[in-house]
Amino acid sequence: MPTVSMTVNGKAVSGEVESRTLLVQFIREHLELTGTHVGCDTSQCGACVVHVNGEVAKSCTMLAVQAEGANVTTIEGLANGDDLHPMQEAFRNNHGLQCGFCTPGMVMTAVDLANKNKNPSEQQIREGLEGNICRCTGYHNIVKSVAEGARNMGG
Amino acid sequence: MPDGATNTGIGASVKRVEDKRFLTGKGNYVDDINRPGQTYAYILRSPHAHAKINSIDTSAAKSASGVVAVFTGEDMQVGSIPCGWQVDSADGTPMREPGHPALAQGKVRYVGDQVAIVIADTLDQAKDAAEKINVDYTPLKAVVDLRDALADTTLVHDEIETNISYDWAIGDKAEVDAVFDGAAHVTKMDIVNNRLIPNAMEPRAAIGDFDRASGEYTLYTTTQNPHVIRLLMGAFVLSIPEHKLRVVAPDVGGGFGSKIFHYAEEAITTWAAGQIARPIKWTAERSESFITDAHGRDHLSHAELALDANGKFLGLRVETAANMGAYLSTFASAVPTYLHATLLAGVYTTPVIYCNIKAVFTNTVPVDAYRGAGRPEASYLLERLVDRAARETGLDQVDIRRRNFIPSDAFPYQTPVALAYDSGDYEATLSSALKLAEVDGFAARKAEAAGRGKKRGLGYSTYIEACGVAPSAVAGALGARAGLYESAEVRVHPTGSVTVFTGSHSHGQGHETTFAQLVSDQLGIPIENVDISHGDTGKVQFGMGTYGSRSLAVGGEAIVKATDKIISKAKKIAAHVLEASAEDIEFAGGNFTVAGTDRSMAFGEVALTAYVPHNFPHEELEPGLDETAFYDPANFTFPGGCHICEVEVDPDTGTVEVVSFTAVDDVGRVINPMIVEGQVHGGVAQGIGQALLEGCSYDEDGQLLTGSFMDYAMPRAHNLPSFKVATEETLCAHNSLGVKGCGEVGAIGSPPAVINAVVDALADMGVTDVAMPATPQTVWRAIQTAKS
Ligand code: FES
Ligand code: FES
């Protein structure tokens, strides 16, 4: 079985995986970081979104071995100790989550969106979230959260 | 703000207690749980909609690498999965309720039906081994379409000799027919309520565990009601007594009804864990969710509304065929009857109503409650019919509704279809919505859109729902096989912090916040000192769970009752210590004070006295401060309101854009406005999804064509606008909080508003109806048909 090594949330990790093991399985099962979720099997829902080398990636759509040597950030790596990341804080402040299942992927996507566009319009936010499904919120408060989070990230 | 409450009391938009764990990846969903020695299960499912199983050869799978066990229906001889509600036919015949095996017994009846479970050390090993199972099927003709099923030529269950489970009716048909004979105008419509797939974002999962030492089973499962699962699975399927079965529903990632029901996988993993004496984890893949989660809606109706010359409704008659799928799921039988037919008065004074429901088996996934459950079907039918009646009689859409509203001074109002509404003000929600939606400016906006080649339309829905499903005695008389109360335990700890155990279950609704607000408000203690515990039959005394917007109206009331008991006992303790009589003790702001004096004790001091009872009225009271209450409501609650949708249709492509959506709902007293708005947003999004995007589709052989997020259109952020949401408050007359429930209003009120808007946009092109989902193709075809 191949061995993979990568940096996850700033920590060097490695493990033996099958070549078919997905990055999300490696994160959830080997590293026991269960904040990254699996909501589909067709790369459609975005519950599994993490950052790989600073870019958003659907971790259900990547093999663990493809992340060899990469720098991975999951939802667990976003807050600074007890201090929430401004995007996490914005979701809390605007009731941008209900059941919480889509939330980790939604927040990781939102952080990337805000990194790339410091002051996104409602339309840009809605289009930027195209790859993430939420069944609970109707997106209304997620859109508000992302706008506020982007502002507070220093846009 | 009430006395003693901080900015966290009733009416405050308190930020949610649960958010921090979800935002930092510390949620604890079933698939996040791993038990020592855990194995993994893969469930082999039927690829056929209808087939006879001649034989199953599992030998190669059993000897495959890592495999612990393989079981089929032959191994698992247990009870049938029960339906929770018995509905009798109009002629008195009990509903036909064919056996519903957890693992198929000789026949499969839908694509996805469970055939075998493969248990291995890893999931990959279980999946690999499942490919080595050889099932010899003889495919049989499947019956998929409701109309075909009604013809009874192909039977889903041979033993009952028909596909009709029951043929039920409400109302006096002869009386209603007579009214129609004398009516000035009759509006008639065929109405389809499209079949939906709930798709909570967390796929279902179950972990069965068995403790050899105690003989106790534990099931971790994605359910909205753990005690109900314990009851159904323990008593009916596996014969495990309650004290030997614990059901845990930890964080659950959305339910919308689809996680109410007792599913086969729960029974299979629990039973098999006992067989192998190791924990077994099963998690659905999304493709599996599509073909095994109970679907929703799927009604075919013919409806007729009789009006007099002034546009007053004289009578309504409805014939509905409701798809049950292959088996009767937990709530399925109650949905088209008690949650649909009884709502057909809507907010109107229609004096006589007749409705006939045929519940029909087909070779499809079982159909059961999905957000709104029966009530969206009723509101869609009625509000489409009213919209059409207005167009046919030349009345204005607002005017026809106003002419027929139950007036605000007519409550309590007895409808002709069993329900007695306790409170409401339909004019208030309507006029507030008219303002918020800026209806006055619509004509100008329509003209402006026309200039761009777009057709703009405005659609209304004034709806009602019944929730907080209600008195156990009434429900029992109507065939419910369980009670419909809720329970709560309020446990005050020695230092004055409080744990509340509730039988309600939160899977997005934010009970940990709303219920804590309630208790903090009542006891006058900081919200941080209150913890809400739910979802574990090993901790919570009992509960009926969360569905039908019942948590606050029923579960919240139970908490209030238990807290009242705490206060009454605490007063006696304080009276003893303060050497006064209990009647003279006043409780406010977290302090027990002797009336007219400054002698008082803080809540925490009383709690400590209860647990360190050195100076305590032992002759009168037991030590401790811990109270349980059960609350059985006196009636349903009746939220209602007005939704207004504005759309723009591109007549060349049929594309519909929702440009504005306004919802003004009366959900009774609002405890946390932020959470209520969030619930409305989510419900409206699901309603717009039903109206414009979502449609479950099977081919004639019973293969699901919409089996993934690529084929089944879930609403995404760019499909929806931001919503205009407000509330108008009339209090529920029969609970102390005055609350009605808000979880379903959005999904119930919105679909007819959207379709009425699309029809309005295209009315001048001759379009009179557009089916849901109003996809560009459907709309374009409706335009072409109208043209030709
Ligand atoms: S799990 Fe759905 S996109 Fe990755
Ligand atoms: S919060 Fe539940 S799916 Fe988004």
Side-chain angles (χ1 to χ4, degrees), chain A residues 96-103 106 133-137 142, chain B residues 201 253-254 256:
Chain A
L97 64 154
Q98 292 183 21
C99 79
F101 197 80
C102 73
T103 310
M106 205 58 92
I133 304 178
C134 174
R135 193 54 147 168
C136 295
T137 63
I142 290 181
Chain B
M201 288 317 295
F256 316 112

Side-chain angles (χ1 to χ4, degrees), chain B residues 63 67 73 101 107 169 207 265 360 385 413 481 700 731 745 756:
Chain B
S63 57
V67 170
K107 238 186 175 191
I207 303 172
E265 295 85 358
V360 187
L385 207 51
Y413 180 82
R481 289 165 172 166
E700 67 226 17
L731 299 181
V745 290
N756 288 344

Side-chain angles (χ1 to χ4, degrees), chain A residues 18 20-21 25 28-29 32-42 44-45 47 58 75-76 78-79 82-84 87-89 91-104 107 122-123 125-127 129-141 143-144, chain B residues 15-20 22-27 29 31-32 34 40 122 124-125 128 197-203 252-254 256 285-288 370-371 507-509 674-675 677-679 681-683 685-686 694 708-710 712 714-718 720-724:
Chain A
E18 289 194 45
R20 62 179 163 178
T21 301
Q25 292 172 315
R28 286 181 56 80
E29 281 148 39
E32 294 179 6
L33 292 171
T34 52
T36 303
H37 295 150
V38 178
C40 74
D41 44 14
T42 52
Q44 296 278 304
C45 77
K58 286 184 167 168
I75 189 72
E76 288 91 344
L78 214 53
D82 264 356
D83 295 338
L84 293 180
M87 191 58 81
Q88 290 169 314
E89 196 60 58
F91 269 70
R92 183 173 136 75
N93 203 28
N94 291 285
H95 190 26
L97 64 154
Q98 292 183 21
C99 79
F101 197 80
C102 73
T103 310
V107 170
E122 170 168 352
Q123 185 65 17
I125 293 171
R126 288 186 180 274
E127 276 161 17
L129 296 176
E130 197 200 14
N132 293 70
I133 304 178
C134 174
R135 193 54 147 168
C136 295
T137 63
Y139 304 99
H140 181 107
N141 286 339
V143 172
K144 275 168 65 184
Chain B
K15 306 292 179 227
R16 297 201 322 170
V17 174
E18 39 278 90
D19 285 357
K20 197 149 184 191
F22 293 138
L23 281 164
T24 53
K26 296 195 189 81
Y29 302 89
D31 191 56
D32 300 340
N34 291 303
Y40 294 82
T122 71
D124 286 334
Q125 288 169 332
D128 291 346
I197 302 179
N199 277 321
M201 288 317 295
E202 178 205 25
V252 171
F256 316 112
E285 295 181 6
R286 180 59 60 183
S287 327
E288 222 174 344
Y370 166 61
R371 201 170 197 167
H507 31 279
Q509 296 87 342
M674 175 192 83
I675 289 180
E677 281 173 22
Q679 289 293 309
H681 295 157
Q686 284 174 335
E694 300 178 43
S708 80
F709 289 145
M710 290 185 286
Y712 185 87
M714 294 281 280
R716 291 178 189 261
H718 66 269
L720 300 168
S722 286
F723 309 117
K724 298 181 194 169

